[in-house]
Amino acid sequence: MRHVRRRIVRRVTRLAAVGGLLLGGTMVTQAAMATETPAGSATPRSAPETVVTNPGAALVKKLGTARTAGTWLDEDGQPVVAVTDEESAAAVRKAGAEAKLVSHSMNELKSATATLRSAPKVPGTAWVTDYRTNEVVVQADSTVSASDWAELTNTAADIGSYVRMERTSGTFTTRLNGAQPILSTGGRCSAGFNVTNGTNDFILTAGHCGPTGSTWFADNTAKQQVGQTVNQSFPVNDFSLVQYASGKAGDGADVVAIGDGNGVRITGTGDAAVGQRVFRSGSTTGLRDGQVTGLDATVNYPEGTVSGLIETNVCAEPGDSGGPMFSEGIALGITSGGSGDCTTGGTTFFQPVTRALAQLGVTLIVAAPSDNAGQGAATPSDAPQPSGSPTQAAIAPGSASPGSTTPVGGLGDGATLASRLTDPRNIGPGLLVIGGSLVALVATRYIRAEQDRKAYREYYSATWS
């Protein structure tokens, strides 16, 4: 009777093991099919939204540069337009904006910057039009000699009293070495925004990060290739395109990382406005915020001159280059360079996104509405609130609101063991079932062999006696 029970147990175990092998094989096959991208399929996308960040820009365009001198947002976020005469001021007030009478028109301010550009280039200098003070501000860092500073001061004096001279601490440098780090033999930079030409996808990042042909990796062992730089503009501009090695950006292409496994969903593009609160993300210093202080800035880096930049008081450090600047989910710029650091503060310049997209002939990648819903993104009736993560709270007093936040895909943060084991796209559970079934088969075979050897010894001993 005991032998019968043993045979039944062995048979049941063998049947269970064989069933486990079949089940495990099915699970692995399904996981492989779930993670494979169907041939010819594409992630549904929609056209990026173009956002007007300052309504005063339309008034400036309507009145013309001879009657205006820029526009900015006041502390309450309301548009202010600088005008040169009362008639223009009345038109601005009628349109619902605040008017400020100034002495110099935009034409005069642009003439001043043109004169500065034509002067001999001095590395370590920069200038920007300050709309709020109606001046052109010329800055020189600690590397500029006394003689060069004197020559530049004489040039400014010849232009007029509306050119203001300032010495700054630190040095104006490109921020080579944010949101996600990318590495090459030339150094470390940051992925900015994902863009597409309709056929292939690219990373839009800083041009000074590396020349055309540079190969980028996601790790410092050069095993996880991201892609290769296929278009670069630096100096003059500061942007480049890194084409993905796979051709596609993949899921979460509309999200930029802000730390702690969170990201901001990017919904469109816009032009920065003076006075606008903005956020910047970088792999070195994380999420930082500040204000746009000037537009159309020119910086004379040691490597060359770059013009048309956005000036901000957001800090940055080496390693933040190419990282995204945004406001309320709107892409505004990519980190170029600046002076100072995130301990003492400083000035950072950004390449405008809209200009880079226009010159490169690409568009920002944003997910289609149906995809957004599938990824837990906002809908008009159920919009997620901005993240209150420690990263944001540490750098912004009060409640920081960089835009709608969402978990960053592909980072693995926050995934529990149970969720990973039950994920149908994970081949691990299937392999575990197969391994367990093989162990059971080997065990039943071993047990049977041991029992046969024991029975043989008993029989041999009995017959020998």
Side-chain angles (χ1 to χ4, degrees):
M1 192 69 173
R2 183 174 55 187
H3 296 295
V4 173
R5 287 198 300 270
R6 288 175 178 173
R7 285 197 298 271
I8 292 174
V9 170
R10 286 198 302 270
R11 288 174 181 173
V12 170
T13 304
R14 283 198 298 271
L15 288 173
V18 172
L21 287 174
L22 294 175
L23 175 62
T26 302
M27 292 171 67
V28 169
T29 302
Q30 289 179 341
M33 293 176 64
T35 55
E36 182 180 358
T37 302
S41 68
T43 304
R45 295 166 179 165
S46 64
E49 179 186 5
T50 301
V51 176
V52 177
T53 57
N54 184 359
L59 290 171
V60 169
K61 184 177 180 180
K62 180 180 178 181
L63 295 172
T65 55
R67 302 170 63 187
T68 61
T71 178
W72 62 94
L73 301 175
D74 64 16
E75 293 181 357
D76 297 324
Q78 300 303 309
V80 181
V81 179
V83 294
T84 57
D85 59 81
E86 281 292 350
E87 183 181 352
S88 300
V92 169
R93 297 187 189 101
K94 185 177 180 181
E98 181 184 344
K100 180 180 179 181
L101 280 170
V102 296
S103 303
H104 306 284
S105 69
M106 182 58 70
N107 288 344
E108 293 176 86
L109 299 175
K110 286 186 175 181
S111 177
T113 57
T115 302
L116 291 168
R117 280 196 299 270
S118 64
K121 299 294 185 294
V122 179
T125 60
W127 51 82
V128 64
T129 303
D130 188 336
Y131 297 160
R132 287 176 284 198
T133 63
N134 196 225
E135 295 174 317
V136 174
V137 181
V138 179
Q139 302 174 14
D141 67 19
S142 58
T143 66
V144 177
S145 66
S147 59
D148 285 338
W149 178 246
E151 289 185 17
L152 202 56
T153 301
N154 291 334
T155 300
D158 292 338
I159 296 172
S161 60
Y162 56 95
V163 178
R164 187 172 81 242
M165 307 295 290
E166 290 183 353
R167 294 296 301 236
T168 65
S169 59
T171 58
F172 290 126
T173 61
T174 51
R175 293 320 200 185
L176 178 61
N177 273 345
Q180 300 282 42
I182 52 177
L183 304 97
S184 75
T185 55
R188 171 172 161 256
C189 264
S190 307
F193 298 101
N194 285 307
V195 299
T196 183
N197 63 5
T199 303
N200 294 305
D201 295 346
F202 310 84
I203 296 171
L204 176 64
T205 189
H208 69 261
C209 288
T212 299
S214 300
T215 301
W216 295 92
F217 300 89
D219 64 320
N220 56 15
T221 60
K223 292 182 179 179
Q224 301 177 40
Q225 183 174 338
V226 175
Q228 190 173 70
T229 301
V230 294
N231 197 329
Q232 181 227 22
S233 180
F234 180 80
V236 181
N237 298 299
D238 195 1
F239 56 74
S240 65
L241 284 180
V242 176
Q243 182 172 339
Y244 279 101
S246 63
K248 295 297 179 183
D251 294 337
D254 59 324
V255 174
V256 296
I258 60 173
D260 293 341
N262 291 322
V264 171
R265 192 174 299 284
I266 303 299
T267 59
T269 62
D271 293 316
V274 174
Q276 181 180 15
R277 188 187 185 193
V278 293
F279 292 80
R280 174 202 59 74
S281 185
S283 61
T284 300
T285 56
L287 184 68
R288 303 282 170 163
D289 76 324
Q291 191 179 81
V292 176
T293 54
L295 302 175
D296 198 22
T298 295
V299 185
N300 294 304
Y301 294 124
E303 303 91 338
T305 300
V306 181
S307 298
L309 299 176
I310 304 166
E311 183 193 61
T312 74
N313 58 15
V314 185
C315 70
E317 296 180 5
D320 291 328
S321 268
M325 181 181 75
F326 50 89
S327 180
E328 301 298 334
I330 303 302
L332 299 173
I334 47 179
T335 308
S336 174
S339 64
D341 54 40
C342 288
T343 301
T344 60
T347 298
T348 303
F349 300 95
F350 296 84
Q351 169 71 52
V353 164
T354 52
R355 182 176 302 179
L357 296 179
Q359 294 194 32
L360 292 168
V362 294
T363 58
L364 192 72
I365 292 178
V366 295
S370 58
D371 267 12
N372 285 350
Q375 296 178 23
T379 62
S381 60
D382 185 24
Q385 295 300 310
S387 170
S389 70
T391 303
Q392 294 179 36
I395 53 83
S399 176
S401 54
S404 298
T405 58
T406 181
V408 177
L411 297 183
D413 294 332
T416 63
L417 178 61
S419 66
R420 292 176 181 176
L421 292 178
T422 56
D423 189 347
R425 296 171 299 179
N426 195 344
I427 66 172
L431 292 176
L432 287 175
V433 172
I434 292 175
S437 301
L438 288 173
V439 170
L441 279 176
V442 172
T444 56
R445 183 66 180 173
Y446 175 79
I447 292 171
R448 181 176 180 179
E450 283 295 315
Q451 289 174 344
D452 288 343
R453 282 194 291 271
K454 182 178 180 181
Y456 180 78
R457 285 196 300 270
E458 291 175 353
Y459 174 78
Y460 182 80
S461 298
T463 57
W464 181 263
S465 300

